[in-house]
Amino acid sequence: MKNSRSDAYAAAGVDITAGYRAVELMKKHIASTRTEGVCSDIGGFGGMFELDLTDIKKPILVSGTDGVGTKLRLAFLMDKHDTVGIDCVAMCVNDIICGGAKPLFFLDYIACGKNVPERMEAIVKGVCDGCIQSGAALIGGETAEMPGFYPEDEYDLAGYVTGVVDKDKIIDNATMEAGDVVIALPSSGVHSNGFSLVRKVFDVENADIKSPVAELGGKSIGETLLTPTRIYVKPVLQLIGEVNVKGISHITGGGFYENIPRSIPDGLCAKIDKASVKVLPIFDLIAKTGGISERDMFNTFNMGVGMSIVVAKEDADKALQILQDAGEEPYVIGEIVKGESKIELI
C-alpha cells in the first residue's frame, strides 16, 4: 500500500493513508477474535469462514444486524470510543441467541467524517471485545471516510452477525404452556435503546454529564449511560444445552410491552410482577427527571432486565443454578398464563 496515495482525494477530505494506518492499528485486536473457522485475513475483499457441522444434523444459518443508535452522541460528548463496539456486537448477537443460534462471525461498518486512526482503533477494539464475549470472530468490515456528510468528530457504527443452530433445536415457543416460569437476566443499564428520550430528558448537549451523581452511586450521567450492553450468549448457550428453553426475548427498544410478547404464542400471556423487577437507579433517575410514567418507562426501556427466558416450572431451579454458575444473577419475574394479551404487568 506504500504507493497508494491520491493528493486529489486528500484535498477532497479523504486520507487513504489514514485508512491504512487504522487497519494496522486494528489488526492485533482483530487477531484476538480469531476462531478455528476463520480462513481469511483482514484485507481481502470478503471474509471467509469454514462451517463446522460436527453434531449439527440440519444446520440453519441465523443472521442479525443492528447499530448503536444515538447512544453514539454520548460517546462523542464524553470522547470515549472503546465501548460502543461492544454495544454494536451485543445488539446483534443477543438477538440471534433468542432462536438458539451460536454466533460464528461478525462484520462491522464504520462511517466517519474524518478517519482518525487512533479513534478507529478504539472503536474496533470494542467490537473485538464484544466478539470475544460472544465467541464470534471478526472476519471483516468497512471504514468509510465521508467528509461533508458526517462532521469530522462524528461517526456511525453498525454490525452484522451470522450464527448457526440445528433445525431441530430452534427455540420457537411451540412447547410453551400455562404454568411455565419467566426468568430475568439483569441488564447493565440502558443498554443501546431509548437514547433519543434519554438525551432529551438529561439535555445531554448542554448539561453537565461528567460530574458525579449521588443517585448513581457517585458515577456521572455520561459514564453510566455509556455502560456497554451485556452480552448473554455464553450463559444462554450453556442453559440451552442442559434445559428445555421454551422462549427467549431480548429486551430492547419497546421495552417489556413490545419484546416479551415476541416469544409468546397466541393464547398465552406472560404475567410479569413489576414489584419483582430489580429496577436500576438510572431508570429511576430518568423517570424522575423526565416526569415519565411507569407505563412509558416499561414500554421504552429494559428497566434492568436485558433478557427474559421461559422454562417449565419444574426446570426453574435448575435453570437458575446453571445461569448463576455461568456468572449471571437470574431471578424469576413472572409466569405464563392463559390469555390473549401476551403480556400483563401487575
Side-chain angles (χ1 to χ4, degrees):
M1 300 296 184
K2 292 181 180 180
N3 294 323
S4 179
R5 174 176 173 76
S6 170
D7 292 334
Y9 212 2
V14 178
D15 186 350
I16 297 174
T17 59
Y20 300 150
R21 169 65 176 157
V23 171
E24 287 302 314
L25 293 175
M26 296 172 189
K27 281 185 175 179
K28 62 180 179 292
H29 304 297
I30 296 171
S32 69
T33 74
R34 192 177 183 94
T35 62
E36 290 184 4
V38 178
C39 48
S40 62
D41 292 321
I42 295 298
F45 289 99
M48 299 182 183
F49 192 91
E50 182 178 4
L51 187 59
D52 181 1
L53 298 180
T54 304
D55 298 326
I56 300 179
K57 297 179 180 179
K58 301 176 183 178
I60 298 294
L61 296 179
V62 184
S63 298
T65 186
D66 209 335
V68 183
T70 64
K71 182 174 184 174
L72 291 177
R73 287 299 304 167
L74 275 298
F76 304 158
L77 294 169
M78 297 290 288
D79 193 24
K80 181 175 173 57
H81 311 282
D82 61 346
T83 59
V84 289
I86 299 175
D87 292 297
C88 187
V89 175
M91 296 304 295
C92 297
V93 298
N94 284 345
D95 274 354
I96 70 167
I97 193 63
C98 291
K102 175 184 178 181
L104 298 174
F105 57 82
F106 193 83
L107 303 172
D108 63 1
Y109 175 80
I110 307 170
C112 59
K114 182 178 181 179
N115 190 333
V116 179
E118 291 75 17
R119 185 166 62 207
M120 293 300 108
E121 178 191 12
I123 297 168
V124 173
K125 177 187 180 299
V127 173
C128 292
D129 288 343
C131 285
I132 291 170
Q133 290 180 34
S134 63
L138 180 60
I139 64 170
E142 174 70 10
T143 301
E145 191 172 18
M146 302 168 66
F149 194 87
Y150 291 95
E152 284 194 358
D153 293 332
E154 296 185 7
Y155 56 86
D156 200 3
L157 173 63
Y160 165 90
V161 69
T162 292
V164 65
V165 62
D166 196 313
K167 186 175 182 179
D168 294 334
K169 297 181 180 179
I170 293 174
I171 298 171
D172 61 3
N173 75 29
T175 63
M176 196 177 296
E177 60 185 356
D180 290 341
V181 172
V182 183
I183 295 173
L185 295 184
S187 70
S188 58
V190 183
H191 282 182
S192 301
N193 300 101
F195 271 84
S196 293
L197 178 55
V198 168
R199 290 184 299 110
K200 178 182 178 182
V201 167
F202 291 128
D203 189 19
V204 298
E205 304 291 339
N206 303 300
D208 176 11
I209 61 171
K210 296 183 179 181
S211 296
V213 176
E215 293 98 318
L216 301 177
K219 290 186 176 182
S220 69
I221 289 175
E223 180 185 6
T224 301
L225 292 176
L226 274 182
T227 302
T229 306
R230 283 185 63 84
I231 291 176
Y232 301 101
V233 171
K234 291 181 180 179
V236 171
L237 284 176
Q238 184 68 36
L239 180 66
I240 292 171
E242 300 185 48
V243 170
N244 178 28
V245 174
K246 300 186 176 188
I248 304 177
S249 290
H250 181 200
I251 313 299
T252 56
F256 281 51
Y257 284 100
E258 180 177 321
N259 292 289
I260 292 180
R262 294 167 69 178
S263 67
I264 309 298
D266 292 341
L268 294 178
C269 172
K271 189 174 182 180
I272 306 298
D273 178 10
K274 287 185 293 185
S276 70
V277 176
K278 299 177 181 179
V279 178
L280 297 173
I282 184 61
F283 296 111
D284 291 329
L285 187 60
I286 291 171
K288 177 182 176 182
T289 305
I292 302 172
S293 69
E294 181 182 69
R295 176 64 166 73
D296 282 355
M297 288 296 295
F298 274 94
N299 205 167
T300 306
F301 302 106
N302 68 63
M303 299 302 284
V305 178
M307 186 162 277
S308 67
I309 300 174
V310 177
V311 299
K313 185 175 183 179
E314 59 268 25
D315 290 332
D317 288 342
K318 182 179 180 180
L320 291 168
Q321 187 61 58
I322 291 169
L323 291 166
Q324 288 171 5
D325 292 343
E328 292 294 326
E329 297 180 356
Y331 61 97
V332 174
I333 57 170
E335 64 176 336
I336 302 299
V337 298
K338 292 183 177 180
E340 298 301 323
S341 62
K342 291 200 175 183
I343 186 167
E344 180 183 358
L345 272 66
I346 60 171

